[in-house]
Amino acid sequence: MAAPSRRLCTLIRLQENSHFPLICNSCIRYMSGGPPDGHVSPPGFIKRYIVDHIVNFVSKRTEKLERRYPKVFEIYRTFRTGSSTFVSETKDYYNVTTELWGGRSLGTFSRHQLEVYKQMPRDLFRIAPILLISVLPGGGAIIALAYLYPRFFLSHHFWTQKQREKFWSQNLESRLHHASAILDWTIRQSIHVPNQKMRDKLVRVVQKLEHAVQPSMEELLEVLPLFASFPYQTDRMAGVYMRHLARSLNFWPIRSRLYQDAMILLYADLAMVGEGIDNMEDFALEKACFLRSLNPFGLTREEKIAYLKNWTKISQEIDESNISFLLHCPAFLAVVHPNNLQLLGGKRSFWRKKTGG
């Protein structure tokens, strides 16, 4: 890995410091004395010959290097694209933060803005040491070294497609393991539900999930009112229960932060509905599914859209009083999805983890 890292550093330095493009541009400008009336005249034979040969030489040389060092070029392209996206989203985060402090409501932002506002603090914390060191003399090499451990030192903006699939799958698998504890706590706390009929409905929902059967949307929405009061309301649930809910969505396991993160997710859901789930780009669909606890890799576009539409059907029935139900959706809606079960090892594996068998 050390050799590709050195080649990446050399490639970056050549791109930034090479005088070759400057010389080429100077030659072309010297040979093309622009007409005084400001119009551009057709290039002459000599100019076309020189430019064509330069372009062909650079193109062939680049293709040869890319075939010889494909990983280096992939990382370089990812770095260039990631840098642009990272800077753009940092500006978005600053703008959203400023406007929120100015009194603007969460409901007025787009899905993308709310996702950036939620995720960017973690990304900045992870990548800040690399950025600080990189501005020092000779610090550019630290970027190449960071690619040795991209999951820990780089944000998702700088990951390749294969890295993103690997790291997101690992992250989601860890989050989904909290589902069994959430179902345990849901049953355990059901003894505090005074309405026997509603309690039985909730128990049936959990029992279906324990056997890897997805409850219908009607069954889920029927038990939603229970989450507006004790023992399932966010500010009244047990601390251990609350922490499992937070970790299943990669939220901060602090009660006040959990409520805030849940509200951001809710408004992002509503913005997504307003903007049109069918109109989302492929990467936006992939990211939205991942944030909502579904493994998107290997699914068709239609399958991702169907999952997000089911998720947002629930979101549209939720308000501040029963927001904790949204925190249960990774366990109620996502964990027994076939793609997630495959990530967890299959139905029998999920059942053994649940029962401790």
Side-chain angles (χ1 to χ4, degrees):
M1 190 65 184
S5 297
R6 288 196 298 272
R7 289 195 292 267
L8 176 60
C9 294
T10 303
L11 184 61
I12 293 173
R13 287 197 298 269
L14 285 173
Q15 179 72 14
E16 294 176 345
N17 301 327
S18 176
H19 297 293
F20 180 71
L22 182 62
I23 295 172
C24 291
N25 289 338
S26 300
C27 292
I28 293 172
R29 285 198 301 269
Y30 176 78
M31 292 185 296
S32 60
D37 59 359
H39 295 286
V40 178
S41 58
F45 172 77
I46 295 178
K47 184 191 297 184
R48 290 200 305 270
Y49 179 84
I50 293 175
V51 172
D52 288 345
H53 276 67
I54 290 174
V55 170
N56 289 335
F57 173 79
V58 173
S59 177
K60 290 179 180 179
R61 183 60 179 169
T62 301
E63 290 175 1
K64 184 177 180 180
L65 288 172
E66 187 166 1
R67 287 194 300 270
R68 188 172 181 182
Y69 309 114
K71 292 184 178 179
V72 175
F73 271 79
E74 181 184 17
I75 292 173
Y76 177 68
R77 284 195 300 269
T78 302
F79 176 78
R80 288 288 300 272
T81 304
S83 298
S84 175
T85 306
F86 182 80
V87 170
S88 175
E89 291 194 355
T90 301
K91 293 178 181 178
D92 290 340
Y93 172 73
Y94 174 79
N95 292 333
V96 172
T97 304
T98 303
E99 292 177 11
L100 282 173
W101 278 96
R104 184 174 170 182
S105 169
L106 282 173
T108 61
F109 292 99
S110 68
R111 171 199 54 82
H112 175 72
Q113 287 174 314
L114 292 173
E115 287 180 355
V116 169
Y117 177 73
K118 174 66 182 65
Q119 182 62 34
M120 187 54 68
R122 289 178 182 267
D123 292 338
L124 288 171
F125 180 79
R126 180 182 291 116
I127 202 172
I130 301 299
L131 294 179
L132 291 174
I133 296 174
S134 67
V135 300
L136 300 175
I142 194 66
I143 296 175
L145 293 176
Y147 270 98
L148 294 173
Y149 306 98
R151 186 180 181 185
F152 303 103
F153 297 114
L154 296 173
S155 65
H156 69 91
H157 308 86
F158 301 94
W159 295 343
T160 64
Q161 175 65 22
K162 290 183 179 179
Q163 288 172 336
R164 186 168 66 252
E165 290 186 16
K166 178 181 178 181
F167 300 152
W168 277 7
S169 296
Q170 291 173 347
N171 177 275
L172 185 55
E173 182 180 1
S174 175
R175 287 160 48 192
L176 289 172
H177 281 308
H178 291 280
S180 60
I182 291 171
L183 297 179
D184 279 341
W185 275 94
T186 303
I187 288 291
R188 191 180 305 177
Q189 296 296 305
S190 67
I191 62 174
H192 300 293
V193 176
N195 187 318
Q196 181 67 43
K197 185 177 179 180
M198 291 295 289
R199 185 194 312 163
D200 291 342
K201 288 182 178 180
L202 182 60
V203 170
R204 281 197 296 271
V205 165
V206 174
Q207 287 175 341
K208 280 190 172 184
L209 291 165
E210 288 175 344
H211 290 84
V213 177
Q214 177 60 54
S216 67
M217 293 300 297
E218 291 74 18
E219 290 175 305
L220 292 176
L221 293 175
E222 280 180 350
V223 301
L224 190 151
L226 293 175
F227 293 79
S229 58
F230 179 79
Y232 302 115
Q233 201 171 25
T234 308
D235 59 353
R236 303 183 67 184
M237 65 176 55
V240 177
Y241 191 4
M242 178 269 299
R243 285 191 287 274
H244 281 296
L245 290 172
R247 288 169 179 151
S248 72
L249 280 162
N250 213 25
F251 289 172
W252 287 97
I254 303 171
R255 199 176 299 272
S256 59
R257 285 294 303 272
L258 179 60
Y259 175 80
Q260 176 183 311
D261 289 345
M263 292 303 297
I264 293 172
L265 177 61
L266 174 61
Y267 280 107
D269 289 348
L270 298 179
M272 182 165 56
V273 173
E275 295 164 9
I277 296 175
D278 295 293
N279 300 326
M280 294 172 65
E281 296 179 353
D282 290 340
F283 176 73
L285 280 173
E286 186 179 276
K287 185 177 180 181
C289 288
F290 166 73
L291 294 175
R292 291 158 182 81
S293 302
L294 174 67
N295 175 24
F297 305 114
L299 295 180
T300 65
R301 177 179 174 86
E302 291 71 24
E303 289 171 326
K304 297 172 192 174
I305 290 174
Y307 175 80
L308 291 175
K309 285 185 175 180
N310 280 335
W311 180 287
T312 53
K313 282 180 184 177
I314 295 174
S315 298
Q316 293 176 80
E317 302 296 328
I318 288 176
D319 55 32
E320 294 183 15
S321 66
N322 54 19
I323 189 68
S324 69
F325 191 81
L326 189 63
L327 300 173
H328 287 73
C329 282
F332 288 174
L333 191 64
V335 72
V336 299
H337 188 285
N339 223 36
N340 282 346
L341 285 176
Q342 184 178 3
L343 193 64
L344 291 171
K347 293 182 181 181
R348 297 182 65 183
S349 175
F350 173 75
W351 175 245
R352 285 197 299 271
K353 288 181 176 66
K354 174 67 186 63
T355 59

